[in-house]
Amino acid sequence: MNIFMMILVAIFMLGFYMISSPSQRIVEQETEYAINQSDLRSIAECASAQHNAQIKGTEFQDICIEQNEIRSQFVCLNSSMRITSCEIVRNKKPEYTYIVTATKSLDESNYNNMLEIIDNYFPDAGTFGIFIDGKIMLGGTSGARIVQDAITDEMELQNGQLVYLTQYEIPTEDTIFTAPVQTDIICPIGTIKTYRFGRWQCVGYNTKTDCGGDMIWDSELLTCVADESKKPLCAEQQTAVLVDSVWECVNPFPEKVCPEGMTARLNYTTLEWECVADPSNTKDTKKCENLKQGAIFGAVGTTIRVPSSSCTDCETAVTNYDTCETICIPDPSKINNPACYPGDVKECSGSHKGFYFGFPSYSYANNVSAIDGRTIPLDVHHSQNRKFNCMDCGDKEIDSERSIPPYIIICK
C-alpha cells in the first residue's frame, strides 16, 4: 500500500513540474507576444490601406475598418490656421490641405509595440504614429510631429489613437475652351468650309488640275507641261515629240525643200512637214505686251496678301519674257531706305544681330536665286512683312552656316 501511494505521489509531482516549469512559461509568453504583435500590425496595415485609398480617390472596404473604428477625411486650413472648405474658390486654393486617418485608441501598454511595428514595417510612411497630447509620436528615433489644434478639434483626436497624416496640394483643373455654336453653312463649288475669326466661312481653294496623257501640272506656271520622265527613247534617226499630249517618236529630217527665207517645220496635227517663215530672219519683237503679276499663295484658312501691280519699296521687279510673268524679289540695295528699315543700319551688325527679309511664303522665296537650296524660317520669330528686319539673338549668336544676310538670319 505504501509503495502504491509513493508511485501516485511521484506521478503527481512529475506532472506539476512539467506544467509549471520555466521553459513552458516562456513558450506561452512568446505565443501571446506574437499574437499581440500580429493584431497591432493588422491595425496599422488597415489604417495605411484606408489612407492610401483616400489619397487615390478610391474606396477601401474591409471588416477591419469597423473593428478598429478607422475614419479618414480631407482637412483644409486657411492662412489663419482655421478650418476652411477644401475647394478652389475664385482661383484661390486653401493654404494647407491634409488627408488625416485615425483609428480607435490603443491600450497604453501597446504603445511601444505599435511604434516598433511602424518603425519596422512602415519606415517611409512619413507622419504615421500614436497621437499623444497634441503630437504624433513616430516610430524609431524620428521624434514627434505637432498637430494643429484645428485638425485635432475637427478629427476629435484623443490620446492613444493611431494617426496617419499626409499633406497634399489640390490639383488645378484644366481650362476647357469650347467654340461657340455656329449654324452649319453650305459652301458653293470651288470653296471649302473653314473656321476663321470665330465663325465658319467659305474660302476659295486651288484645285490641282488633272493633266491627261503625258502631261504634268506645274504649280509655278499654273498649267500642264510635258512630263520629261515619260519621254521615250527613240531610234537613232528619230526624236521624241509631244503629239496630242502624248510622246511619239518621229523622223526629224524633213524631205521637203523650202524656198529661201523659209524653213521646214513639222505639223504635229498632220505629222507632215510644211514650210514656214524662218524665225531667224524676223526682227526681234517684244514678246510680252501684257505682263502677269506673280501671286502669293497660302494654306487654306490663312489670310493671303493680294499682289498689287507693283512691288514694295524694298523689292525689285523681275520679268520672265518667256512666260510674260513679273515677280518681286528683295533688293538689298534698298536696305538704307527708311520705308524698308526705319532704324540705324549700323546698329544691326555683329555676331548677335543681323538683317533678314520678311519672306511672305516659300513660293516667294523660291524666286530668289541668292538663297537657292536654303530653308527660310516662317515662324513667329520672323516677320513676313516683305521688308528688311533686324534680328537680335540676345545672348545667343547668329548661326553663320544657316544664315545668309540680309535674306536669312537664324539664331543658334
Side-chain angles (χ1 to χ4, degrees):
M1 185 66 181
N2 292 333
I3 295 176
F4 180 73
M5 290 298 294
M6 292 178 63
I7 293 174
L8 290 177
V9 171
I11 293 174
F12 176 78
M13 294 295 293
L14 180 62
F16 177 79
Y17 175 78
M18 291 294 295
I19 294 174
S20 61
S21 64
S23 60
Q24 186 68 20
R25 289 198 302 273
I26 292 175
V27 172
E28 291 178 354
Q29 291 175 357
E30 289 180 350
T31 303
E32 291 176 359
Y33 174 79
I35 294 174
N36 185 50
Q37 289 290 97
S38 178
D39 293 339
L40 295 176
R41 181 179 175 183
S42 65
I43 296 174
E45 290 177 346
C46 186
S48 176
Q50 170 64 16
H51 192 77
N52 292 331
Q54 186 79 4
I55 293 175
K56 297 177 181 178
T58 58
E59 186 176 355
F60 176 66
Q61 296 180 345
D62 193 275
I63 189 63
C64 67
I65 299 293
E66 297 181 2
Q67 291 176 343
N68 300 289
E69 301 176 9
I70 298 176
R71 51 197 173 88
S72 182
Q73 72 179 69
F74 295 94
V75 180
C76 299
L77 307 179
N78 57 21
S79 58
S80 301
M81 294 300 174
R82 294 181 179 179
I83 298 296
T84 185
S85 175
C86 294
E87 296 178 354
I88 301 177
V89 180
R90 298 178 182 177
N91 295 329
K92 185 176 181 180
K93 300 180 181 179
E95 292 293 331
Y96 305 97
T97 50
Y98 300 92
I99 296 176
V100 185
T101 302
T103 69
K104 66 180 180 180
S105 297
L106 304 176
D107 188 87
E108 188 173 355
S109 61
N110 290 324
Y111 285 2
N112 291 334
N113 291 337
M114 179 58 80
L115 294 177
E116 181 182 355
I117 289 173
I118 293 175
D119 184 40
N120 292 335
Y121 299 101
F122 304 92
D124 300 323
T127 305
F128 189 21
I130 301 175
F131 181 80
I132 300 176
D133 297 334
K135 298 180 181 179
I136 297 178
M137 308 302 297
L138 307 178
T141 59
S142 300
R145 295 289 186 271
I146 298 175
V147 181
Q148 297 295 333
D149 294 338
I151 299 177
T152 302
D153 297 338
E154 178 70 15
M155 294 291 296
E156 297 180 355
L157 299 179
Q158 299 178 358
N159 289 346
Q161 287 184 288
L162 185 63
V163 178
Y164 200 159
L165 186 145
T166 300
Q167 189 172 1
Y168 77 104
E169 183 177 357
I170 299 178
T172 303
E173 295 183 0
D174 296 333
T175 304
I176 301 176
F177 297 94
T178 57
V181 178
Q182 296 286 333
T183 57
D184 194 13
I185 60 175
I186 300 176
C187 295
I189 298 175
T191 62
I192 187 172
K193 182 175 71 173
T194 184
Y195 195 79
R196 299 177 60 200
F197 309 117
R199 61 188 180 91
W200 288 106
Q201 298 181 16
C202 295
V203 296
Y205 67 95
N206 297 327
T207 56
K208 180 180 178 181
T209 303
D210 185 14
C211 303
D214 295 333
M215 308 286 285
I216 190 172
W217 178 255
D218 191 318
S219 59
E220 295 183 358
L221 300 178
L222 301 179
T223 186
C224 290
V225 297
D227 188 355
E228 296 292 332
S229 64
K230 295 182 179 180
K231 189 175 182 179
L233 284 175
C234 298
E236 184 178 356
Q237 301 299 324
Q238 291 184 326
T239 185
V241 295
L242 203 64
V243 180
D244 295 332
S245 301
V246 178
W247 286 108
E248 289 188 8
C249 294
V250 297
N251 191 340
F253 300 103
E255 299 176 355
K256 194 173 185 66
V257 179
C258 296
E260 185 179 357
M262 302 188 73
T263 184
R265 186 184 68 179
L266 179 64
N267 187 324
Y268 291 146
T269 303
T270 62
L271 291 183
E272 294 180 355
W273 293 95
E274 59 185 13
C275 294
V276 296
D278 189 353
S280 61
N281 294 333
T282 60
K283 295 182 179 180
D284 187 16
T285 58
K286 187 176 181 181
K287 291 184 179 181
C288 301
E289 296 295 337
N290 298 317
L291 301 179
K292 296 183 296 182
Q293 181 72 20
I296 300 173
F297 297 94
V300 172
T302 60
T303 302
I304 300 175
R305 180 188 180 103
V306 178
S308 61
S309 59
S310 61
C311 301
T312 67
D313 295 334
C314 314
E315 300 168 331
T316 182
V318 177
T319 302
N320 186 337
Y321 287 101
D322 292 330
T323 62
C324 300
E325 183 179 16
T326 299
I327 58 175
C328 297
I329 62 173
D331 187 355
S333 64
K334 303 289 184 67
I335 199 170
N336 292 310
N337 188 341
C340 299
Y341 182 71
D344 187 356
V345 177
K346 296 180 181 179
E347 293 182 357
C348 189
S349 61
S351 59
H352 300 273
K353 292 183 180 180
F355 282 103
Y356 72 92
F357 188 78
F359 290 104
S361 64
Y362 292 113
S363 58
Y364 182 104
N366 291 336
N367 298 321
V368 184
S369 59
I371 57 173
D372 283 343
R374 297 298 185 104
T375 301
I376 62 168
L378 292 180
D379 51 36
V380 296
H381 303 292
H382 293 77
S383 176
Q384 289 87 44
N385 57 2
R386 293 176 68 179
K387 296 181 179 181
F388 291 98
N389 305 270
C390 182
M391 172 61 74
D392 188 353
C393 295
D395 297 335
K396 302 179 182 178
E397 294 184 355
I398 296 175
D399 192 337
S400 58
E401 296 182 358
R402 301 167 61 192
S403 301
I404 305 180
Y407 300 103
I408 300 174
I409 286 294
I410 300 176
C411 298
K412 287 186 179 180

